[in-house]
Amino acid sequence: MTTTNILALLKQHFGYDEFRPGQEAIISNALAGQHGLVVMPTGGGKSLCYQLPALATGGVTLVISPLIALMKDQVDALRANGISAEFLNSTLDNRTAAQVERRAQAGGVRLLYVAPERVAMSGFRRFLGTLDLRMIAIDEAHCISEWGHDFRPDYRALAELRELFPQVPVMALTATATERVRRDIVDQLRLDDCRRFVSGFDRPNLTYRVEPGAGAWESLLDLLEERKGQPAIVYCFSRRDTEDLAARLTSHGHEAAAYHAGLNADTRRSTQERFIDGDVPIVAATIAFGMGIDKPNIRLVVHYTLPKSIESYYQETGRAGRDGLPSDCVLFFNEGDRAKQQYFIQEMTGDARATAERQLQQMVEYCRLSTCRRKYLLGYFGDSGVGDPCGNCDVCLAERQSVDVTVVAQKLLSAVIRTGERFGAAHVCDVLLGRNLKRIRELEHNKLSVFGIVEDYDRHGLRRITDGLVERGLLAKADGQYPTVSVTESGRKWLRGNDKLKLELPVQKTTTRTERVRASNARTDDAPDADLFDQLRAVRRRLADEENVPAFVVFGDATLKGLAASKPVTPEAMLRVSGVGPAKLARYGEEFLAVISGYIDGLQSRSGKADGVTDRPRPGGSHGQTLLLLQQGMSIAAIAAQRGLTRGTIVAHLERIKAAGGEFDVSPLLPPPDKTNRIRAALTSSEDGRLGPVKEKLGDDCSYEEIRLVRLVWEDGKQ
Ligand code: ADP
Ligand code: ZN
């Protein structure tokens, strides 16, 4: 298949205009019938790599995924794009499962998602034999390896699938960075001629920052204020902390829920769902939260406590910004947090303890970096792809100026020498600052001439200078758990001479909290069309509720931003926005176009340009036309056809006319009486009035449209 053809399929089915890095090569390989191992960071766009070939080759592509909770969302997202997808897992009753199987056998299913445990069942394998199976995609493929962090014994059964269907190409996908696990995946699955596609691990849209733990609460409020209502995760140390923080945030106007392993399963599930659906924007959580959170628009991941290791930190922050939009990862670092972790490590023994100590040490090192944080993180995973500076971490972003540090450097080096070159930088700084600490008194360091001789720097500032002196080679830092500092030969030489010393230091932030908030508000106001974006979000929310799917199934944030920026008012123009394909245009287009038109009209009348006629459909006018046609006795289908809109949109018009107090007769539109009664009964017994559960209860022979029409009448209390 040519590049042009695959690109056409990409637009046709997913609404995207170009591939993300790596996707095209992976897709071509699959289309050539070859095995592939795909290693891509979270949010890199792995799913598309098998979804697109599945559409191009026809038949059935089997997708194995361990995340049962996500299957329905994934399938809903595909369906919203007009792609026939189904899932089979333990949440389906037998009857529904049998229906899905029959549909797959009849060739009506392109992508079939299943949980790995099903593959181990002999009945299921026989069923697979009756399908036109074209490809097997194995998501989270690292689960097959005992070396990985998430081994699942069920994944071992997948090797047998290979024996049963040796001719079917396999695509194994993972975000795991270690080479050992990658090799294990290929070995276990016996993917002999397997091509490997390993993308860099950089997530360029994430900004990494470390901030002092001392002002953590105030800074957290700032961060949330700047991103009011946007999804955020705050990782905390203990279960108690998550609950305290959630309560405190909520009382400060930032609605937050707590999540930890000590809550019962129902609460955990509902918190997770409310977060994914956007009902609660912030979750304060222990690290128990995250696996299986496939929410594309998390804008902020905060570590209110020190993570266990660089690996877990990178994984946890990786949950931010999957949609590729700018997102922040902020870690609050307290020297005290280190002690907390150390306390637990002391309980460990042997190798585990050594590992935990090393990991903690690396984490602390990361926090204290005065060089690019991204470079450090990627270097940890053996990815040297980022040039220094990355331009998107606090260190790189900090404005620097050359500062004369001669005097304070002399004091620092002297203090290191006077204390015997046996202590860490923290202790030396405490001595210089003249802090009244037990340890200092015991060592009698308060009697030294260097005690309390620094007044023009705080602890943080002194640490930066220490780092600078280490970088310049005037100080040396020992390796190991307690890195003591000593003065190098060139340090002594400099101390004896009278050369000046200048360091490039970050300009100190001197703005106050209010100033920062004000500045950020100004930014939002300046941001063109933030209003429109909010309106589009509201429409998305409503449509998602009506269909009982998470908001991102309708459109991602990136697409809403694209809509807000380009403001299409015709279907053709809307189709040019990334993320809008024909299926979604037909399904949701008119609702969004109406909002955009309304917004533009509002702008024009405010600026006095268009008091008269405009050539765009006004929302009110559009509803009026629908009503007129209805009163002429036309069916929903006929009105939709005549107006070039979807039937769902026509029903939505009726709902809004009704809500605005309009009168019309729905009865000719209702399904036959027995069906109407069944739907009414289901609606009456529904707890929250959401349509999804009602639809699920009624099954396939009642459509959303029918249910909504019945609801129109029933809500009115007329029948
Ligand atoms: P992964 O499984 O690698 O974590 P996903 O497959 O969930 O990532 O994709 C992450 C996000 O990127 C999704 O919102 C997806 O729709 C979007 N995406 C994938 N491919 C493209 C593309 N070519 N253009 C724009 N967005 C894309
Ligand atoms: Zn950087």
Side-chain angles (χ1 to χ4, degrees):
M1 188 173 291
T2 65
T3 303
T4 339
N5 289 343
I6 327 183
L7 274 175
L9 282 179
L10 181 68
K11 185 67 192 171
Q12 170 78 21
H13 292 292
F14 299 94
Y16 298 134
D17 301 309
E18 53 192 19
F19 285 108
R20 293 256 184 93
Q23 285 178 332
E24 194 178 352
I26 296 165
I27 290 168
S28 304
N29 184 63
L31 289 174
Q34 305 289 321
H35 298 315
L37 172 68
V38 174
V39 184
M40 235 187 226
T42 309
K46 287 188 281 300
S47 323
L48 197 88
C49 296
Y50 56 83
Q51 289 168 346
L52 192 80
L55 298 172
T57 50
V60 180
T61 289
L62 184 69
V63 185
I64 315 243
S65 162
L67 306 170
I68 292 185
L70 297 184
M71 276 185 198
K72 185 172 176 304
D73 291 350
Q74 285 169 329
V75 164
D76 281 341
L78 286 165
R79 288 191 187 154
N81 275 318
I83 297 165
S84 61
E86 298 282 356
F87 65 89
L88 282 172
N89 64 31
S90 50
T91 66
L92 295 186
D93 58 45
N94 289 342
R95 208 192 66 172
T96 318
Q99 277 173 355
V100 169
E101 292 186 354
R102 249 176 285 131
R103 216 170 298 148
Q105 284 166 329
V109 177
R110 276 295 151 272
L111 288 128
L112 181 62
Y113 285 72
V114 300
E117 57 268 22
R118 197 157 281 253
V119 176
M121 303 176 190
S122 58
F124 182 72
R125 294 190 192 177
R126 271 196 303 280
F127 158 69
L128 281 183
T130 66
L131 299 182
D132 178 13
L133 191 61
R134 301 284 179 89
M135 182 164 76
I136 300 173
I138 303 179
D139 208 1
E140 314 285 346
H142 57 274
C143 293
I144 205 171
S145 171
E146 283 179 276
W147 307 116
H149 52 82
D150 198 26
F151 174 57
R152 311 219 170 184
D154 283 326
Y155 261 66
R156 286 288 156 90
L158 301 180
E160 292 158 41
L161 260 192
R162 290 276 300 123
E163 281 162 26
L164 282 174
F165 304 101
Q167 76 294 352
V168 176
V170 169
M171 186 185 291
L173 306 106
T174 177
T176 296
T178 71
E179 175 55 30
R180 194 181 199 177
V181 172
R182 292 179 203 162
R183 227 179 305 134
D184 208 19
I185 295 172
V186 174
D187 291 348
Q188 298 281 345
L189 292 172
R190 291 188 271 284
L191 300 179
D192 302 328
D193 300 315
C194 168
R195 271 196 65 190
R196 290 162 156 240
F197 300 90
V198 181
S199 321
F201 271 74
D202 188 20
R203 300 281 309 280
N205 61 317
L206 302 189
T207 307
Y208 295 96
R209 294 176 192 281
V210 176
E211 295 203 8
W217 166 249
E218 290 278 289
S219 304
L220 178 62
L221 286 182
D222 286 354
L223 289 167
L224 295 174
E225 200 65 47
E226 286 165 16
R227 298 166 184 73
K228 190 96 189 164
Q230 304 201 35
I233 304 178
V234 185
Y235 284 108
C236 305
F237 184 68
S238 67
R239 297 174 178 186
R240 263 277 310 276
D241 290 351
T242 67
E243 289 174 5
D244 291 350
L245 191 68
R248 240 170 119 196
L249 286 173
T250 304
S251 73
H252 280 74
H254 297 284
E255 202 200 336
Y259 186 103
H260 57 74
L263 298 169
N264 67 43
D266 279 348
T267 312
R268 287 206 310 265
R269 183 159 12 88
S270 98
T271 302
Q272 188 160 327
E273 275 168 12
R274 284 193 305 143
F275 180 65
I276 290 176
D277 290 351
D279 294 340
V280 54
I282 305 163
V283 173
T286 59
I287 49 172
F289 186 72
M291 177 68 182
I293 298 291
D294 193 4
K295 189 174 171 62
N297 61 339
I298 298 174
R299 294 277 81 90
L300 175 68
V301 171
V302 172
H303 280 77
Y304 215 59
T305 183
L306 200 59
K308 263 202 338 271
S309 64
I310 297 285
E311 222 162 334
S312 38
Y313 181 61
Y314 203 61
Q315 198 185 7
E316 283 147 24
T317 53
R319 295 182 182 127
R322 277 174 180 242
D323 54 11
L325 296 179
S327 308
D328 290 279
C329 310
V330 180
L331 193 166
F332 289 107
F333 176 59
N334 246 327
E335 296 285 336
D337 285 350
R338 179 197 184 137
K340 261 197 238 173
Q341 304 256 11
Q342 204 95 50
Y343 177 82
F344 284 97
I345 291 175
Q346 259 140 39
E347 309 283 298
M348 302 181 181
T349 50
D351 279 357
R353 178 170 172 163
T355 308
E357 258 160 14
R358 184 172 36 81
Q359 289 176 332
L360 178 59
Q361 184 54 39
Q362 285 165 336
M363 209 52 243
V364 171
E365 197 171 287
Y366 169 81
C367 292
R368 291 181 179 158
L369 284 178
S370 55
T371 51
C372 177
R373 300 205 198 270
R374 176 174 267 102
K375 205 175 171 72
Y376 183 95
L377 290 172
L378 294 175
Y380 180 89
F381 296 110
D383 181 345
S384 53
V386 175
D388 191 13
C390 76
N392 199 12
C393 71
D394 54 351
V395 179
C396 290
L397 288 168
E399 222 180 291
R400 279 161 193 282
Q401 59 185 189
S402 182
V403 182
D404 184 339
V405 295
T406 311
V407 175
V408 68
Q410 284 165 349
K411 291 177 181 173
L412 241 165
L413 295 183
S414 317
V416 171
I417 295 172
R418 294 285 153 79
T419 51
E421 303 183 81
R422 294 182 289 119
F423 298 92
H427 178 77
V428 176
C429 294
D430 285 341
V431 171
L432 284 167
L433 292 167
R435 298 189 64 202
N436 181 17
L437 300 173
K438 187 156 163 261
R439 185 149 181 258
I440 291 183
R441 289 193 306 271
E442 278 169 5
L443 291 160
E444 302 201 328
H445 285 170
N446 52 343
K447 304 206 171 129
L448 298 174
S449 59
V450 290
F451 182 75
I453 57 168
V454 169
E455 281 174 344
D456 44 352
Y457 286 85
D458 61 7
R459 203 157 188 258
H460 200 63
L462 272 184
R463 291 303 297 255
R464 284 198 190 283
I465 291 174
T466 315
D467 288 344
L469 295 180
V470 171
E471 241 171 83
R472 283 289 182 92
L474 303 186
L475 276 178
K477 209 176 198 170
D479 290 333
Q481 195 188 337
Y482 302 106
T484 57
V485 287
S486 56
V487 179
T488 61
E489 208 31 63
S490 49
R492 287 172 204 277
K493 213 151 120 205
W494 177 78
L495 208 48
R496 286 193 299 267
N498 30 17
D499 287 349
K500 293 233 170 281
L501 182 67
K502 286 191 165 189
L503 291 178
E504 296 289 314
L505 294 178
V507 177
Q508 291 288 327
K509 269 196 263 177
T510 50
T511 46
T512 63
R513 168 149 193 254
T514 21
E515 276 169 335
R516 265 184 287 153
V517 171
R518 212 172 294 139
S520 83
N521 285 345
R523 255 203 320 278
T524 347
D525 286 346
D526 288 348
D529 311 313
D531 260 7
L532 177 56
F533 180 70
D534 287 343
Q535 289 178 28
L536 295 173
R537 274 215 300 193
V539 177
R540 175 176 71 176
R541 178 74 269 158
R542 183 170 52 72
L543 292 172
D545 279 346
E546 280 172 11
E547 299 185 353
N548 195 37
V549 294
F552 69 81
V553 166
V554 178
F555 283 128
D557 279 10
T559 303
L560 292 195
K561 290 232 160 95
L563 289 171
S566 65
K567 298 186 205 51
V569 290
T570 63
E572 298 72 38
M574 181 162 170
L575 204 50
R576 283 196 288 272
V577 174
S578 173
V580 184
K584 286 195 179 175
L585 180 70
R587 192 154 169 166
Y588 308 121
E590 213 259 343
E591 307 254 3
F592 284 95
L593 287 171
V595 169
I596 297 169
S597 300
Y599 178 81
I600 292 176
D601 289 352
L603 281 186
Q604 288 176 340
S605 53
R606 243 181 292 151
S607 62
K609 272 185 215 142
D611 290 329
V613 214
T614 69
D615 54 356
R616 291 183 200 93
R618 297 177 57 87
S622 184
H623 293 172
Q625 276 182 45
T626 293
L627 190 56
L628 206 65
L629 296 174
L630 184 76
Q631 282 158 347
Q632 289 166 11
M634 283 171 75
S635 69
I636 303 266
I639 301 174
Q642 166 145 357
R643 301 209 51 206
L645 302 174
T646 66
R647 293 155 56 146
T649 302
I650 302 300
V651 178
H653 288 174
L654 298 183
E655 286 169 346
R656 257 169 280 161
I657 295 168
K658 192 99 188 188
E663 294 267 327
F664 53 88
D665 183 11
V666 194
S667 40
L669 305 174
L670 292 175
D674 62 320
K675 202 178 201 181
T676 296
N677 285 337
R678 257 195 306 135
I679 296 175
R680 264 197 65 184
L683 281 168
T684 321
S685 64
S686 129
E687 283 162 22
D688 51 4
R690 279 175 96 179
L691 288 184
V694 173
K695 166 92 171 80
E696 245 164 61
K697 194 188 279 174
L698 289 165
D700 275 348
D701 66 322
C702 295
S703 66
Y704 273 109
E705 181 184 320
E706 288 169 328
I707 301 172
R708 286 164 73 184
L709 287 170
V710 173
R711 184 173 66 171
L712 264 181
V713 183
W714 172 74
E715 272 182 344
D716 213 32
K718 255 194 245 157
Q719 288 188 5

